[in-house]
Amino acid sequence: MMQNSTTLWYFILGAYLPVGNLRYLYFVLLALLYLVIIVANSSLIVVICVNRSLHEPMYLFLCSLFVNELYGSTGLFPFLLLQILSDIHTVSLSFCFLQIFTLYTYAKVEFCNLAIMSYDRYLAICYPLQYNTRMTSNHAVVFIVVIWFYSFVNFLITLSLTIRLTLCGAIINSLYCHNYLVVKLACSDTELNNIYGLFGVVFTTLVPMLPILFSYLKILKVCFSCCKRTRQKAISTCTPHLVSLLNFFFGCCFEILQSRFDMTSVPRLLRIILSLYFLIIQPLLTPIMYGLQMSKIRQTYKHLFCNKMLTSSETV
């Protein structure tokens, strides 16, 4: 086995189970799931982009969210599909760091995007008359650019701290590359990585939760003091966001706990499923929740694609 960072060219992924010919079934199921994610998110991006009535802050934030789901799932699924069919589960050093960058920035963008969306809902529900001046489409674009830029730059620092380490091991006990598991392979000093990594977790998960909690406390206060119709409208617009947020938060929390604490008491198969949870369920759940719950998107989607189907049938 390679002994240091100058000679280490690959990592071995140690979480894969021997499944024999079942690998082909798992491959087909994951490929279908990835296809559904691509079609669902891409179609909603197209609907928002081509329809000018949806060029509003809320839908621009949604578009950013759908793009991020495609970005994160693409960082996982093609890699996972190749590993399932392979007998030797290895990954090159450079590709491993690329995957780490993709998956971690995906998580950071997701949390920040959900946080700004909660603030957008707070303005729309608590200050409906001032909403159009406080949150314009230009403001939304600036927020989106800042979210993506901040997430990328922030994690580049974390990744650079990992790349500088001298590694004395090559086995990562995971299905995919994980930053902290790579850090644990180091035989050089990792104190700076641990401190910055802890701050990274706080800034990625807990800090975005502050505007989310503030926004929803204010929204709840308004809901209880308003009429039934306003309350129902607020609940219908906030439900997809809350479900998406809680689902992603749960998945990320388990993955953080699993990487930093001993989870051998949890069945291995359950650990594998939960480690993939936030990377598989979130990109699938987000377009379903928003596509079904938000009437304006649903109606635009039906109008756009039904018209195309009618036009194509008439042409035939």
Side-chain angles (χ1 to χ4, degrees):
M1 186 179 293
M2 310 303 177
Q3 292 300 312
N4 56 57
S5 61
T6 59
T7 57
L8 183 65
W9 296 102
Y10 62 87
F11 291 112
I12 300 168
L13 300 169
Y16 284 89
L17 300 172
V19 292
N21 289 331
L22 282 174
R23 70 177 71 180
Y24 302 110
L25 175 63
Y26 295 146
F27 178 87
V28 171
L29 291 175
L30 280 173
L32 288 173
L33 196 60
Y34 184 40
L35 183 63
V36 170
I37 288 171
I38 291 173
V39 171
N41 285 282
S42 298
S43 60
L44 289 172
I45 292 169
V46 170
V47 166
I48 292 171
C49 289
V50 301
N51 196 299
R52 295 187 66 85
S53 67
L54 296 179
H55 292 183
E56 299 173 5
M58 178 173 62
Y59 300 107
L60 293 177
F61 291 133
L62 279 177
C63 192
S64 171
L65 200 64
F66 298 144
V67 169
N68 193 46
E69 306 303 356
L70 289 175
Y71 171 67
S73 57
T74 301
L76 175 73
F77 276 92
F79 173 80
L80 209 58
L81 291 170
L82 287 173
Q83 290 295 329
I84 286 173
L85 294 180
S86 177
D87 293 321
I88 303 172
H89 306 293
T90 60
V91 55
S92 68
L93 208 70
S94 56
F95 187 87
C96 189
F97 287 131
L98 176 62
Q99 186 179 53
I100 287 171
F101 178 80
T102 303
L103 298 183
Y104 276 71
T105 49
Y106 158 72
K108 287 177 180 290
V109 170
E110 192 82 3
F111 268 120
C112 291
N113 213 128
L114 290 169
I116 199 63
M117 284 172 70
S118 68
Y119 177 68
D120 176 75
R121 292 300 82 210
Y122 157 69
L123 291 179
I125 293 168
C126 299
Y127 299 97
L129 298 179
Q130 303 171 37
Y131 175 75
N132 290 331
T133 55
R134 287 195 178 195
M135 182 65 77
T136 65
S137 296
N138 288 337
H139 289 159
V141 171
V142 170
F143 276 125
I144 290 167
V145 170
V146 169
I147 285 169
W148 283 80
F149 181 77
Y150 161 76
S151 300
F152 276 54
V153 171
N154 179 269
F155 190 71
L156 274 175
I157 299 171
T158 304
L159 192 61
S160 64
L161 291 175
T162 303
I163 291 172
R164 73 181 175 85
L165 295 173
T166 301
L167 304 176
C168 295
I171 300 176
I172 301 174
N173 191 26
S174 178
L175 297 178
Y176 55 89
C177 292
H178 195 297
N179 184 66
Y180 189 69
L181 295 181
V182 173
V183 172
K184 287 169 75 173
L185 297 175
C187 48
S188 55
D189 183 28
T190 61
E191 186 177 357
L192 185 59
N193 296 73
N194 293 329
I195 293 171
Y196 191 82
L198 197 59
F199 276 104
V201 170
V202 171
F203 278 101
T204 300
T205 56
L206 298 183
V207 170
M209 290 300 290
L210 294 177
I212 291 168
L213 290 172
F214 170 80
S215 299
Y216 277 102
L217 285 173
K218 293 291 185 180
I219 289 170
L220 282 173
K221 186 178 178 181
V222 169
C223 286
F224 283 118
S225 62
C226 289
C227 63
K228 185 178 179 181
R229 185 180 176 184
T230 303
R231 192 181 306 123
Q232 288 176 338
K233 186 178 180 181
I235 290 170
S236 66
T237 57
C238 292
T239 298
H241 181 266
L242 276 173
V243 171
S244 183
L245 174 68
L246 292 172
N247 177 73
F248 192 69
F249 186 75
F250 165 76
C252 285
C253 281
F254 179 83
E255 188 58 10
I256 291 168
L257 291 173
Q258 180 174 236
S259 65
R260 291 184 175 266
F261 299 99
D262 182 17
M263 302 287 283
T264 52
S265 59
V266 180
R268 189 177 180 185
L269 183 60
L270 181 60
R271 293 203 309 269
I272 290 172
I273 292 170
L274 289 176
S275 70
L276 294 171
Y277 183 88
F278 81 105
L279 292 167
I280 291 179
I281 302 301
Q282 187 71 7
L284 186 65
L285 179 70
T286 298
I288 292 172
M289 284 299 301
Y290 288 104
L292 292 176
Q293 288 290 325
M294 304 198 74
S295 57
K296 199 169 180 181
I297 288 182
R298 191 169 62 248
Q299 289 166 8
T300 306
Y301 188 89
K302 286 180 180 178
H303 178 74
L304 183 65
F305 287 95
C306 284
N307 281 353
K308 283 192 174 182
M309 289 177 66
L310 287 172
T311 304
S312 60
S313 63
E314 286 174 2
T315 306
V316 173

